[in-house]
Amino acid sequence: QKEVEQNSGPLSVPEGAIASLNCTYSDRGSQSFFWYRQYSGKSPELIMFIYSNGDKEDGRFTAQLNKASQYVSLLIRDSQPSDSATYLCAVVGKGFSGGYNKLIFGAGTRLAVHP
Amino acid sequence: KAGVTQTPRYLIKTRGQQVTLSCSPISGHRSVSWYQQTPGQGLQFLFEYFSETQRNKGNFPGRFSGRQFSNSRSEMNVSTLELGDSALYLCASSSTGDTQYFGPGTRLTVL
């Protein structure tokens, strides 16, 4: 089982719709979760982080965390063609020393927003 | 604050050569992580340095090595380059290791 799993996509949504991106993780002890956006040929850009169960909103983005189900999601409201990118989920997991200090990335979900 | 900088941005080498990439983290950040990204492979974690010590390491051969200096700047070295080493190499800095901010990357082409 991969430590962080995402559906590779592509997830295709029409402009103006809600895009829902999902991520599951294997280590129940993980406490910190991140979403990055990566445009083709560019480096990843941090868009959201979430530590507590529930929802966290920032503009058109909402991150949702359910630790009992080991599930993180990112909702993008009013999707725009400029949101077309790969979205990477990242979870802080156990590092070499056993402490939670290693950021583990999923393989990413490609989102395509079509006009 | 200035962001993460990486030099050089582009590099072309031939098989068998070695290469050194440099990363300057955000001021005050003590953690620097390195990643390799190839098409279709996602982000592959190489290693992380925190306060000059390697704290975490990925599953890459010993040809890949790194170090961190007292000013938190980090270098990554790849010896005996292979064609498969062609990739975008990304560096990310963090104050503690979790919230990471990426540099623009170094695109390495091995001929």
Side-chain angles (χ1 to χ4, degrees):
Chain A
Q1 182 188 9
K2 289 184 180 177
E3 292 172 290
V4 180
E5 294 208 57
Q6 296 181 255
N7 188 318
S8 60
L11 173 65
S12 182
V13 300
E15 185 174 357
I18 295 176
S20 177
L21 303 156
N22 305 316
C23 171
T24 58
Y25 60 95
S26 60
D27 187 341
R28 191 170 287 278
S30 294
Q31 300 293 325
S32 304
F33 308 87
F34 304 83
W35 283 100
Y36 287 80
R37 176 177 63 199
Q38 185 175 25
Y39 291 113
S40 181
K42 301 294 186 182
S43 60
E45 170 194 13
L46 177 68
I47 52 173
M48 293 280 296
F49 60 85
I50 185 167
Y51 303 141
S52 304
N53 272 329
D55 294 359
K56 179 181 178 183
E57 190 174 315
D58 184 0
R60 295 187 296 112
F61 298 99
T62 299
Q64 299 177 315
L65 174 60
N66 183 325
K67 290 183 181 178
S69 300
Q70 294 174 241
Y71 179 92
V72 194
S73 64
L74 179 70
L75 301 178
I76 306 175
R77 288 183 300 282
D78 188 25
S79 295
Q80 301 297 310
S82 59
D83 294 325
S84 299
T86 296
Y87 289 80
L88 302 165
C89 170
V91 175
V92 175
K94 280 188 181 176
F96 183 74
S97 63
Y100 282 85
N101 55 28
K102 181 180 176 183
L103 194 59
I104 301 166
F105 283 86
T109 298
R110 194 156 52 93
L111 172 67
V113 181
H114 53 86
Chain B
K1 277 186 180 178
V4 179
T5 59
Q6 291 187 247
T7 56
R9 293 291 312 278
Y10 302 91
L11 205 50
I12 300 175
K13 292 284 188 180
T14 57
R15 278 181 299 175
Q17 287 187 308
Q18 75 162 17
V19 66
T20 299
L21 311 181
S22 180
C23 172
S24 292
I26 292 170
S27 177
H29 284 189
R30 294 191 294 166
S31 166
V32 173
S33 297
W34 288 90
Y35 298 86
Q36 181 195 67
Q37 189 172 42
T38 54
Q41 286 291 322
L43 281 175
Q44 303 295 314
F45 174 69
L46 282 153
F47 30 67
E48 181 216 2
Y49 286 86
F50 185 85
S51 295
E52 301 181 65
T53 301
Q54 188 180 84
R55 186 164 70 170
N56 288 301
K57 188 177 186 306
N59 296 321
F60 275 79
R63 300 186 296 109
F64 293 82
S65 63
R67 58 178 175 169
Q68 187 179 34
F69 302 96
S70 58
N71 62 358
S72 293
R73 189 177 70 84
S74 177
E75 287 183 347
M76 190 193 93
N77 184 274
V78 188
S79 63
T80 318
L81 283 166
E82 300 176 0
L83 293 178
D85 296 333
S86 294
L88 179 65
Y89 289 89
L90 292 159
C91 146
S93 86
S94 170
S95 57
T96 58
D98 54 7
T99 310
Q100 294 187 4
Y101 298 91
F102 284 84
T106 294
R107 186 163 297 282
L108 172 65
T109 301
V110 182
L111 302 176

